Amino acid sequence: MLNKSNILFKRTAIFLILAGLFVVAGLVINNATDEFVVPIAIGDTNTEYTASEDFQHLERANRAFINLVSKTKNSVVQINTRVRIRRDESSRLERDELRRRTLEEWFGFRFPDDMQTPEVPTPRRSQGVGSGVIVSEDGYILTNNHVIDSANEIKVTLPNGREYEAELIGQDPGNSGVSGTDLAVLKIDAEGLPALPFGDSDALEVGEWVIAIGTPLNLSQTVTRGIVSAKNRRRFSNIQYGNFIQTDAPINRGNSGGALINIRGELVGINTLIATGGFTTGNIGIGFAIPSNTANALLPQLIENGEIVRGWLGISMEKVSHELAEKLNLDSTQGVLVEAVGPDSPAEKGGIRHGDVIVEFNGKPVQGSSDLMFTVAETAVGTSVKIKVVRNQKEKVLKVKLERRTEEAVASLRNPVESAPEMIEPEELPETEPFAGMQTQKLTPELARRYGYNNEKGVIVVNVEEDSPAADNGIQVGYLIKEIDYITIEDLADYRKVVKELENKGEELALVYVKSPNGSVNYLTLKINSNGTEDNR
């Protein structure tokens, strides 16, 4: 009896233990299927979510990006450069002498007087890393000019690790006297390479997904993702013809020359520069890429000629403000105001004058100064174009033959004086009554000498009131008033006559043409009261 009780007890214990294991493991018998099921809450939730339509969309998007990277990454290469730099002997001697004196002060002993620095300066090597994009199967590679500028050796490493010596084919520097796009073309001796097709950068939309591939911080084949943040960002870092795409796809040092790619797997930009803030020099979500349409248009010329030849008009210009449009009775703010015309330039030969508003170039409306600059640059040298201007509120069509943009041509429009002379109190002369918050005197030979004006006519500003229209527009003591409302001002008599006419007409705006002591000229639209005094509204 005792033995049967022990056996029953053991069987009961075993049953309870097994039952407990079933409960702990969450094991359940499904009567309908005669299958064991383990009901885990997390598993149930994941199964339900992964079966949802939202997850399927995300999974397809995720897979699409993975496929996009796999399809395009082999077209982006790493570029390593070496630059041999000869140390400047005088600078090195001064640096060594400073170190020697510092050590003597720290340790309280004097180095032997015959201790000399070697007289032959030793060369040193500077190394750089950037990125590039394969744009043809036979080895042409696009990159930034600043990646390879001044390099003695250029080496390209493909994603498979194979290295090639690269030949520099063409350059369009972004920081020269005729500043261009900061593009360059290299060539390696290879065939059958995975070229990245060009996309239409003009068709990009703000908010569109893009990926950036490059070699940031020497980390090759790095992929980042973001969106197009803005378009048509212009003139960054002295690059005149960048017309950049802005993106928040993370870009850092070494990404320069790499690819900005749309979701179709097309090259839409060459990553070029980043904006930084505070003490950081890394990515803050503001990067810029040269549009693919710009690069694609310049590529044949860079390969064939090794450089870019651009058209030249020969003017300095400013946008049309709302005040100027109101003053000149223009229908809109489209167009550009000509501030200066270069001597012997195509513009001067074609009859363009300062004060003209250019509204059309070869039948195409001019949107603004950057638009005209790009249009002129893209027009072949020697082309005769029709330029429509508004002069004295009347339209006039002029014929101008474009010439080549060169450093000498650009220099002809630069300020003749490098820096403004020291401002000196003008001599005691009768001043005019305040006009737009400024007072003037006649330009005497002494004042002309002090402020650097040679063979100039006009009246000189001797006082500018704070918070006046003149001050708000940047007019300072020493500025020369040369025109008001297109009327030439040669002396105080002309000045007083024009101001009086403005008072009698009750004009609210005056278009003033001024020259500063550093040689720059500007048209300024000043708000005035009908009585000719400053308007502080």
Side-chain angles (χ1 to χ4, degrees):
M1 191 69 176
L2 182 59
N3 291 337
K4 289 183 178 180
S5 297
N6 288 339
I7 293 172
L8 180 60
F9 176 77
K10 290 179 179 179
R11 288 178 177 177
T12 303
I14 291 172
F15 176 80
L16 291 174
I17 291 172
L18 289 175
L21 289 174
F22 277 111
V23 172
V24 171
L27 195 62
V28 176
I29 299 177
N30 189 323
N31 293 327
T33 61
D34 294 327
E35 294 179 351
F36 289 102
V37 179
V38 181
I40 301 175
I42 297 176
D44 281 349
T45 303
N46 280 347
T47 301
E48 180 181 349
Y49 176 65
T50 54
S52 70
E53 185 177 351
D54 287 345
F55 177 81
Q56 298 303 321
H57 286 311
L58 289 174
E59 176 62 22
R60 282 194 292 269
N62 189 48
R63 179 51 52 186
F65 273 109
I66 294 172
N67 293 339
L68 173 63
V69 172
S70 177
K71 173 185 175 183
T72 58
K73 67 178 182 179
N74 289 330
S75 300
V76 183
V77 302
Q78 178 174 325
I79 298 175
N80 293 87
T81 61
R82 286 188 177 184
V83 181
R84 185 183 293 266
I85 302 175
R86 191 172 182 83
R87 295 182 184 273
D88 181 75
E89 183 177 5
S90 60
S91 297
R92 184 167 54 84
L93 290 173
E94 291 175 2
R95 186 168 57 251
D96 289 347
E97 178 62 26
L98 177 60
R99 289 172 179 168
R100 183 182 296 110
R101 290 200 305 268
T102 302
L103 288 172
E104 289 175 351
E105 292 174 1
W106 280 2
F107 297 104
F109 65 90
R110 183 175 178 80
F111 286 94
D113 291 335
D114 60 354
M115 179 180 286
Q116 300 293 331
T117 303
E119 294 189 4
V120 179
T122 56
R124 63 184 177 89
R125 289 180 180 270
S126 174
Q127 297 182 345
V129 179
S131 308
V133 185
I134 300 172
V135 291
S136 73
E137 294 182 356
D138 57 348
Y140 284 104
I141 295 171
L142 258 178
T143 186
N144 284 136
N145 185 72
H146 75 259
V147 171
I148 52 80
D149 195 28
S150 302
N152 302 112
E153 301 174 29
I154 305 173
K155 187 172 292 186
V156 168
T157 305
L158 301 184
N160 61 11
R162 190 165 183 181
E163 293 184 347
Y164 293 86
E165 294 292 333
E167 177 187 0
L168 177 58
I169 300 298
Q171 294 175 272
D172 187 31
N175 56 356
S176 67
V178 288
S179 180
T181 57
D182 191 27
L183 285 173
V185 177
L186 307 177
K187 178 72 166 64
I188 60 174
D189 187 14
E191 297 290 340
L193 297 176
L196 196 59
F198 282 94
D200 183 2
S201 54
D202 289 343
L204 279 177
E205 297 184 59
V206 175
E208 184 172 336
W209 270 333
V210 287
I211 63 172
I213 305 179
T215 309
L217 307 178
N218 207 13
L219 301 170
S220 62
Q221 288 290 287
T222 296
V223 181
T224 56
R225 185 176 71 184
I227 63 169
V228 174
S229 304
K231 296 174 63 178
N232 300 319
R233 300 295 199 200
R234 308 198 176 187
R235 298 193 188 184
F236 282 93
S237 190
N238 297 322
I239 301 175
Q240 292 288 323
Y241 296 96
N243 195 22
F244 293 103
I245 300 164
Q246 181 181 330
T247 178
D248 68 348
I251 296 172
N252 285 285
R253 296 175 66 89
N255 269 112
S256 292
L260 190 70
I261 302 169
N262 64 15
I263 60 174
R264 298 169 185 81
E266 300 168 330
L267 178 68
V268 291
I270 301 294
N271 300 320
T272 300
L273 53 92
I274 61 175
T276 58
F279 294 101
T280 180
T281 58
N283 170 68
I284 58 172
I286 304 177
F288 301 96
I290 298 170
S292 59
N293 286 2
T294 299
N296 197 18
L298 298 182
L299 185 60
Q301 197 175 159
L302 284 171
I303 293 175
E304 184 176 351
N305 304 324
E307 62 177 349
I308 301 299
V309 176
R310 292 185 169 87
W312 170 248
L313 183 58
I315 63 171
S316 63
M317 54 189 169
E318 185 55 77
K319 67 179 182 179
V320 177
S321 65
H322 290 283
E323 291 82 3
L324 179 63
E326 179 184 348
K327 176 66 181 179
L328 301 182
N329 293 321
L330 300 176
D331 295 333
S332 70
T333 58
Q334 291 186 349
V336 298
L337 175 66
V338 178
E339 293 189 322
V341 178
D344 200 35
S345 65
E348 184 181 67
K349 295 173 184 177
I352 294 177
R353 303 176 187 173
H354 72 264
D356 287 348
V357 177
I358 299 177
V359 293
E360 279 188 15
F361 183 91
N362 243 10
K364 177 184 175 183
V366 174
Q367 304 298 323
S369 56
S370 294
D371 175 53
L372 180 59
M373 183 184 73
F374 274 76
T375 303
V376 171
E378 292 169 357
T379 305
V381 173
T383 303
S384 292
V385 297
K386 292 182 179 180
I387 297 179
K388 182 185 289 187
V389 303
V390 176
R391 181 184 298 168
N392 297 326
Q393 300 186 14
K394 295 181 180 179
E395 291 186 348
K396 188 176 183 69
V397 177
L398 304 171
K399 192 174 182 180
V400 179
K401 186 177 182 179
L402 299 184
E403 298 176 9
R404 179 175 179 175
R405 180 183 172 92
T406 63
E407 290 194 23
E408 293 76 18
V410 173
S412 69
L413 276 172
R414 290 177 181 153
N415 298 334
V417 180
E418 292 297 327
S419 59
E422 181 182 355
M423 293 297 182
I424 304 174
E425 287 297 325
E427 57 190 87
E428 291 296 329
L429 291 172
E431 298 177 353
T432 60
E433 291 298 316
F435 171 70
M438 62 183 175
Q439 292 175 286
T440 61
Q441 289 181 354
K442 72 176 184 178
L443 182 65
T444 65
E446 174 63 17
L447 288 173
R449 184 187 65 79
R450 291 179 181 178
Y451 289 98
Y453 298 121
N454 297 315
N455 301 318
E456 295 282 1
K457 293 184 178 180
V459 295
I460 194 164
V461 177
V462 294
N463 183 51
V464 180
E465 298 179 7
E466 293 184 5
D467 300 323
S468 65
D472 291 343
N473 279 272
I475 294 178
Q476 301 176 20
V477 171
Y479 275 44
L480 193 66
I481 308 297
K482 297 180 66 65
E483 290 180 10
I484 299 178
D485 280 4
Y486 296 115
I487 300 174
T488 301
I489 305 297
E490 293 192 357
D491 51 34
L492 280 178
D494 292 337
Y495 179 81
R496 289 191 173 103
K497 181 180 179 181
V498 172
V499 170
K500 187 67 175 178
E501 289 177 355
L502 289 173
E503 293 176 359
N504 293 336
K505 292 179 181 178
E507 293 283 352
E508 294 185 358
L509 296 171
L511 185 61
V512 182
Y513 190 53
V514 300
K515 186 171 187 177
S516 68
N518 70 5
S520 64
V521 291
N522 298 93
Y523 274 102
L524 304 173
T525 307
L526 306 184
K527 292 183 178 181
I528 58 174
N529 284 331
S530 59
N531 62 6
T533 60
E534 67 276 9
D535 181 359
N536 293 320
R537 291 176 297 175

